[in-house]
Each structure stands twice: as C-alpha cells, then as structure tokens.
Amino acid sequence: AQTVTQSQPEMSVQEAETVTLSCTYDTSESDYYLFWYKQPPSRQMILVIRQEAYKQQNATENRFSVNFQKAAKSFSLKISDSQLGDAAMYFCAYRSANTGNQFYFGTGTSLTVIP
Amino acid sequence: NAGVTQTPKFQVLKTGQSMTLQCAQDMNHEYMSWYRQDPGMGLRLIHYSVGAGITDQGEVPNGYNVSRSTTEDFPLRLLSAAPSQTSVYFCASSYDQGGYEQYFGPGTRLTVT
C-alpha cells in the first residue's frame, strides 16, 4: 500500500506571509494523482489543489501552489499572502490512476495564522 | 445537488449498542468510502465501494459492516459499539477514476460511553 507522510504536525505563519507545508509519499507507480485538502474548524473537507503526476508543471490555484518533485516523491503546498481564513488542518492525499483504487491520506498539518 | 449527506451529525451510544450511519450522494459517483478521523492519525479508511454490490475493506474495518445496494447509498453499521470507536466519521464519494477528487459529507461525531 502507498504511504503518505506529513512530517509537520503543526505550523504557524504570520498573516500576509508565505508558508510551505510538506508532504512525501511512497509509491512504485508512475501514474497517479495528488491532492491537498483543507479542513477548517467547521470540519468540512475542502479540496485546495490537485496535481497530475504526468504533468511537469506545478498546479496553482490563486494563492495556493504546489512544488511537485516526482523523482523525490515530494508534494509540498505553498500558501502565499496567508489570511486568517487559511487557518485549518491540511491533508495531503494520493490516489493511483488505476480505477477502483482508494485514496491514501497523510496525518495532517495544523496551520495557525497569527494576526 | 445536495452533494454528500450524512446522518446523524452527532450520536452518543452505550457500549454494546448497534447503529447505522447513513450516507447518500446524488452525483452518480461509483466510488464511495467511509473514514474515521482521530487526533494525530489523519483519515483512516474503514470500507470502500466501487459500485453497487461491490465493497472492500480498508485499513481499519474491524467492528464495522457496509453494504452498497444502490449507487446513491452507502450505510456504515456498527455491530457492537466500543469506546475505541469514539471518533468523527466521514463519508466521501468520487468518480472511480484516479484524477477525480473525493467529495466529503459533513461528518458524524460519535461518542461511545
């Protein structure tokens, strides 16, 4: 089974600053997808960004971008111009490109935004 | 679309009681799954399904049963509740292809005393 590791249980960032959350994964597959999810205090899981492994270009969604290093099996999330509403738990997830395959989640990083 | 709905939102059970957590989606997703979330442990997969009549075990299936009689519904049954099953439970669904994201329900907070 694939494993997803988030080595930073907690992070903090000053409002308007930039923070990077780390994620590494272990797989022998060449075709897969990676996701970052956000879970605010409301508990609702929200997709932040998605990356296809076959794409070399890093995905970007407004203030959120990823640094995808396929050879290193690394998938970090960069949040620019941090806002108070970014405070949440962030989960990294992996899914094989094959059908019928489950999602694998990391243990999460709790992000605090300091005003 | 209502998306993924879960009921109830909160539940308190006594040890040994049984109950069913309901999950439904209206997006015609083949793939549905149940997770439990515990502090410091992220989301752990309990059971999943890739279509009506097809279910499989995840990482932590003991003490839970599932069935998938329709595309829309995927109930999770706790057979004999134990305090170790105190957790937040999430149902999620997606298309059964790798690139599609999972959509999550709002979660059920279950306490077993």
Side-chain angles (χ1 to χ4, degrees), chain A residues 2-75:
Chain A
Q2 282 73 17
T3 57
V4 178
T5 303
Q6 293 180 250
S7 58
Q8 307 154 316
E10 297 177 347
M11 293 281 286
S12 62
V13 62
Q14 207 76 30
E15 194 176 3
E17 296 296 307
T18 296
V19 65
T20 298
L21 308 183
S22 301
C23 173
T24 59
Y25 55 94
D26 185 23
T27 185
S28 59
E29 297 176 326
S30 59
D31 199 9
Y32 51 86
Y33 299 85
L34 298 164
F35 307 83
W36 277 100
Y37 280 87
K38 171 184 177 181
Q39 186 183 40
S42 68
R43 211 166 65 192
Q44 182 66 50
M45 295 283 285
I46 303 162
L47 178 71
V48 174
I49 201 163
R50 166 181 38 223
Q51 175 77 42
E52 296 88 345
Y54 62 83
K55 287 188 178 178
Q56 292 188 337
Q57 186 173 6
N58 290 324
T60 299
E61 289 286 343
N62 300 316
R63 297 181 296 107
F64 298 87
S65 62
V66 299
N67 183 3
F68 172 50
Q69 302 288 329
K70 191 172 184 179
K73 297 179 184 174
S74 171
F75 181 60

Side-chain angles (χ1 to χ4, degrees), chain A residues 37 39 95 100 102-103, chain B residues 31 37 45 96-97 102 104:
Chain A
Y37 280 87
Q39 186 183 40
R95 193 187 199 194
Q102 57 186 277
F103 290 77
Chain B
Y31 183 94
Q37 183 178 19
L45 183 66
D96 186 28
Q97 293 172 46
Q102 280 194 115
F104 284 81

Side-chain angles (χ1 to χ4, degrees), chain B residues 18-65:
Chain B
S18 62
M19 80 159 295
T20 298
L21 304 184
Q22 301 291 345
C23 175
Q25 53 90 11
D26 61 359
M27 296 172 281
N28 205 29
H29 287 162
E30 306 94 345
Y31 183 94
M32 296 187 73
S33 55
W34 277 101
Y35 297 90
R36 59 177 289 172
Q37 183 178 19
D38 302 291
M41 306 195 74
L43 291 163
R44 293 185 292 169
L45 183 66
I46 304 171
H47 287 284
Y48 66 102
S49 168
V50 297
I54 306 168
T55 63
D56 206 348
Q57 296 181 351
E59 180 186 357
V60 289
N62 291 341
Y64 307 95
N65 270 359

